[in-house]
Amino acid sequence: MTTLIQPLAPLAIGIDFGGTSIKFALVRGGEIIERGNSLDTQYLGSSEAILDAMVEEIARIAKAHPGVAAVGAGLPGMIDATNGIVHELSNVPGWRDVNLRDLLIQRTGLPTVVDNDAKAMTYAEWRFGAANNQPNVICVTLGTGVGGGLILDGKLYRGNGNGAGEIGQASIDIHGVPAHYGNSGALEKYVGNRQIAERAQLRYREAGSERVLDECTPAALSKAAAAGDPVAKAVWNEIGTEIGAGLSNLVWLLNPDCIVIGGGVAQAGEILFEPIRATICARTMPVYFSNLDIVPAALGSDAGVIGAAALGVASLKAVV
Amino acid sequence: MTTLIQPLAPLAIGIDFGGTSIKFALVRGGEIIERGNSLDTQYLGSSEAILDAMVEEIARIAKAHPGVAAVGAGLPGMIDATNGIVHELSNVPGWRDVNLRDLLIQRTGLPTVVDNDAKAMTYAEWRFGAANNQPNVICVTLGTGVGGGLILDGKLYRGNGNGAGEIGQASIDIHGVPAHYGNSGALEKYVGNRQIAERAQLRYREAGSERVLDECTPAALSKAAAAGDPVAKAVWNEIGTEIGAGLSNLVWLLNPDCIVIGGGVAQAGEILFEPIRATICARTMPVYFSNLDIVPAALGSDAGVIGAAALGVASLKAVV
């Protein structure tokens, strides 16, 4: 009797292009096989120097590992994934309307895709992480900003210009604080890193405690809450209630199977998830809430490279 | 030379099950061929009597017009379109967890689907009306309540339990007025028929004019605004700004190609559409707004029967 050998998932290089560093990994079927060298975007400076260094690292990994079938890069900003164009990057100057995909293809000879980093993260959590391949998934990242991505009817949803999923720009208060892109009351303006710290500082002051901003970071607040500090606990409750209110609107609109919450702020854990769940329960109906998983992201900071690699592999199928 | 005859679209019976009457139409390819008799739900009373009358009218139309391939019914409430079950109807008692689809199939012998009425309307406006088959469409109905439906990636989007598209239940103000299903600040609670009238009455009172509620209906306000009444104009501006804010959140989330706005309140026309467009422009970014059509519904009160019939026909394809 012969043993059938299952076909292997293709090898791919995933790239997570962040504001300060660019991370590389060799990935197969959602597993990191080997991590590449990281690039320091500030040290490299110009987009030309960054591009040269990216090409060099891709070539190095591909040479060391025969069988690399695709490359995927996730970048923070407005990315036209269909045409491979980086329209602009958050916090990295010099990348206006660059066809990064075609430049990489020309110089590496490897099938390549570029995409928004939140979409790469969403794809990774959906296929290999906390969302477990459910058909309708909302993925939220809580950090300096609030970003996100949508899996709808079993597909990464992009919208007209690849702009879908900007959960942090949706408003929870029509009369709320001004927001960068005009949507007053944008969720990001309440539950971003900095806003959490400022609010905590305010609440400590109201409680008669003069903490400085550094002592009010999400990490410090988590620690304080775990130690029983009532102010820190109350702040997480406020933040969770606001995130829950923003997500309730999405539940009414999209009736999802699963909401995945990741990013640095989500590290707070149950003290944040508990008011999020309670708020969504109170603000929706059982038919929406009872079949809804609200779970922490599973892949942590690896979601970017894993998702980018998977999007690279997914693009191969479209060509065959 | 022979002339090729194009295949005809199938004939279907569309049913629009409303709070007070049930309308029937024979439909082919989005065109109403003949209107059926309307049934008075209050007169008929029990769900059994309504069902009998529906079966009779379907049979009458199908007998008079050989070639009816499918039946579709749109109903106001929680409908499980996948399994054909009417979980509950707004304003019509006695319809809890009724498998209307199977009952109709058994008694008429015709392939039948049942669906939510807003989804039927959305489907009609997408295929045959104002949305012109664009891939990503948000459809909103403004009336006593605010309902809606979503076409995403060229498909009617349903979500986990067929509950997607409840635009009127999404909140525009986390600290806003209490809402029926718990989501304080729900858009519906500001721009529903009754809320518009109450607000207009308040604004007239503030302006020193003692109008009664009957003089403040959306229709009366449209007339007054057209005649230059500054209070009526200001009220429409408030309403349009709030609808625009609610829709801006959807634009950030879904980056749609088209927003179709229908229902009685939308009859106000440009005096309503102008602040809606201005608000979405101010609260989003050019990359979202410049490729976005914001248009009035085209099919009026026929959208229900046309969409239901089309959903009936669409279901045939899935079986073949």
Side-chain angles (χ1 to χ4, degrees):
Chain A
M1 207 180 98
T2 55
T3 307
L4 285 173
I5 297 173
Q6 292 297 318
L8 270 178
L11 272 180
I13 296 171
I15 305 173
D16 184 359
F17 193 125
T20 55
S21 73
I22 305 175
K23 294 191 295 179
F24 295 77
L26 185 71
V27 179
R28 187 197 297 279
E31 302 280 341
I32 293 180
I33 306 290
E34 190 177 301
R35 292 174 197 277
N37 301 311
S38 286
L39 304 178
D40 183 325
T41 52
Q42 250 120 64
Y43 170 79
L44 289 163
S46 75
S47 58
E48 290 79 9
I50 290 174
L51 180 63
D52 287 347
M54 287 176 77
V55 169
E56 194 179 317
E57 181 62 8
I58 292 167
R60 187 192 67 74
I61 298 172
K63 199 171 169 194
H65 300 273
V68 168
V71 177
L75 301 98
M78 293 293 307
I79 317 293
D80 173 354
T82 313
N83 298 300
I85 299 165
V86 176
H87 283 308
E88 69 174 36
L89 292 185
S90 321
N91 307 316
V92 187
W95 287 81
R96 187 163 282 276
D97 300 331
V98 175
N99 195 319
L100 177 61
R101 182 190 65 185
D102 289 359
L103 288 169
L104 289 175
I105 290 174
Q106 280 158 20
R107 295 184 55 188
T108 66
L110 291 167
T112 301
V113 298
V114 301
D115 212 326
N116 171 270
D117 58 352
K119 290 190 173 61
M121 187 274 268
T122 299
Y123 197 80
E125 289 290 347
W126 174 52
R127 292 294 311 282
F128 310 111
N132 201 20
N133 282 288
Q134 293 188 78
N136 304 303
V137 178
I138 297 168
C139 205
V140 191
T141 46
L142 303 170
T144 310
V146 173
L150 307 173
I151 303 291
L152 302 177
D153 279 340
K155 251 181 74 181
L156 184 62
Y157 176 77
R158 300 180 173 283
N160 169 297
N162 216 46
E166 291 293 350
I167 293 162
Q169 300 305 324
S171 167
I172 57 169
D173 184 353
I174 184 172
H175 306 298
V177 294
H180 192 56
Y181 299 110
N183 203 14
S184 308
L187 180 62
E188 180 170 290
K189 283 298 188 181
Y190 297 86
V191 304
N193 260 335
R194 195 190 146 84
Q195 286 77 17
I196 294 175
E198 285 171 357
R199 178 166 352 187
Q201 195 182 29
L202 175 68
R203 294 286 178 263
Y204 278 118
R205 204 178 304 136
E206 288 167 356
S209 160
E210 290 297 329
R211 303 232 182 169
V212 296
L213 208 57
D214 276 0
E215 294 163 2
C216 295
T217 60
L221 281 178
S222 291
K223 225 168 140 179
D229 176 346
V231 173
K233 283 158 86 171
V235 169
W236 281 121
N237 192 55
E238 286 181 40
I239 301 297
T241 302
E242 287 162 353
I243 294 169
L247 290 174
S248 294
N249 294 338
L250 272 74
V251 170
W252 281 109
L253 291 168
L254 299 175
N255 190 11
D257 305 289
C258 181
I259 298 176
V260 177
I261 305 174
V265 171
Q267 307 283 321
E270 272 309 300
I271 197 153
L272 176 66
F273 277 73
E274 207 241 304
I276 290 177
R277 288 197 189 95
T279 303
I280 297 177
C281 179
R283 284 180 173 265
T284 64
M285 284 169 74
V287 68
Y288 292 84
F289 186 73
S290 58
N291 294 312
L292 174 61
D293 295 331
I294 301 167
V295 292
L299 302 174
S301 59
D302 288 336
V305 287
I306 292 173
L311 285 168
V313 171
S315 75
L316 296 174
K317 294 179 194 161
V319 179
V320 175
Chain B
M1 207 180 99
T2 54
T3 306
L4 286 174
I5 297 174
Q6 293 295 319
L8 271 177
L11 272 180
I13 297 171
I15 304 173
D16 184 358
F17 194 124
T20 56
S21 72
I22 305 176
K23 295 190 296 178
F24 294 77
L26 184 71
V27 179
R28 188 196 294 281
E31 303 279 341
I32 292 180
I33 305 289
E34 190 176 301
R35 291 174 199 277
N37 300 312
S38 288
L39 304 179
D40 184 324
T41 52
Q42 251 120 65
Y43 170 78
L44 289 164
S46 74
S47 56
E48 289 78 11
I50 290 175
L51 180 64
D52 287 347
M54 287 177 77
V55 168
E56 195 180 315
E57 181 62 8
I58 293 168
R60 188 192 66 74
I61 298 172
K63 197 171 171 194
H65 299 273
V68 168
V71 176
L75 300 99
M78 294 294 306
I79 317 294
D80 173 354
T82 313
N83 298 302
I85 298 164
V86 176
H87 282 307
E88 69 173 35
L89 293 184
S90 322
N91 308 316
V92 186
W95 288 80
R96 187 164 283 276
D97 302 330
V98 175
N99 195 319
L100 178 61
R101 183 190 66 186
D102 289 359
L103 288 169
L104 289 175
I105 290 174
Q106 280 157 19
R107 296 185 52 187
T108 66
L110 292 166
T112 301
V113 298
V114 301
D115 213 326
N116 171 271
D117 59 351
K119 289 189 173 64
M121 186 275 266
T122 299
Y123 197 80
E125 289 290 345
W126 174 53
R127 292 291 312 282
F128 310 112
N132 201 20
N133 284 287
Q134 293 186 77
N136 304 303
V137 178
I138 297 168
C139 205
V140 192
T141 46
L142 303 171
T144 310
V146 174
L150 306 174
I151 303 290
L152 302 177
D153 280 339
K155 250 181 75 182
L156 184 60
Y157 175 77
R158 299 181 175 282
N160 168 298
N162 215 45
E166 291 294 349
I167 294 163
Q169 300 305 326
S171 166
I172 58 170
D173 184 352
I174 185 173
H175 306 297
V177 294
H180 192 55
Y181 299 111
N183 202 13
S184 308
L187 180 62
E188 181 170 288
K189 283 296 189 182
Y190 297 88
V191 304
N193 261 336
R194 196 189 145 82
Q195 286 75 19
I196 294 175
E198 284 172 356
R199 176 163 359 185
Q201 196 182 28
L202 175 68
R203 293 285 178 265
Y204 277 117
R205 202 177 306 136
E206 288 168 354
S209 160
E210 290 297 330
R211 303 232 181 169
V212 295
L213 208 58
D214 275 1
E215 294 163 359
C216 295
T217 60
L221 280 178
S222 291
K223 224 169 144 183
D229 177 347
V231 174
K233 283 158 85 172
V235 169
W236 281 121
N237 192 57
E238 285 181 38
I239 301 296
T241 302
E242 286 162 354
I243 295 170
L247 291 174
S248 294
N249 295 339
L250 272 73
V251 170
W252 282 110
L253 290 169
L254 299 176
N255 190 10
D257 304 291
C258 182
I259 298 176
V260 177
I261 305 174
V265 171
Q267 306 284 322
E270 270 311 299
I271 198 155
L272 176 65
F273 277 73
E274 209 239 305
I276 290 176
R277 288 198 189 94
T279 303
I280 297 177
C281 178
R283 283 179 173 267
T284 63
M285 284 169 73
V287 70
Y288 292 83
F289 187 74
S290 59
N291 294 313
L292 175 60
D293 294 331
I294 301 167
V295 293
L299 303 173
S301 58
D302 288 338
V305 286
I306 292 174
L311 285 168
V313 171
S315 75
L316 296 174
K317 295 179 194 160
V319 179
V320 175

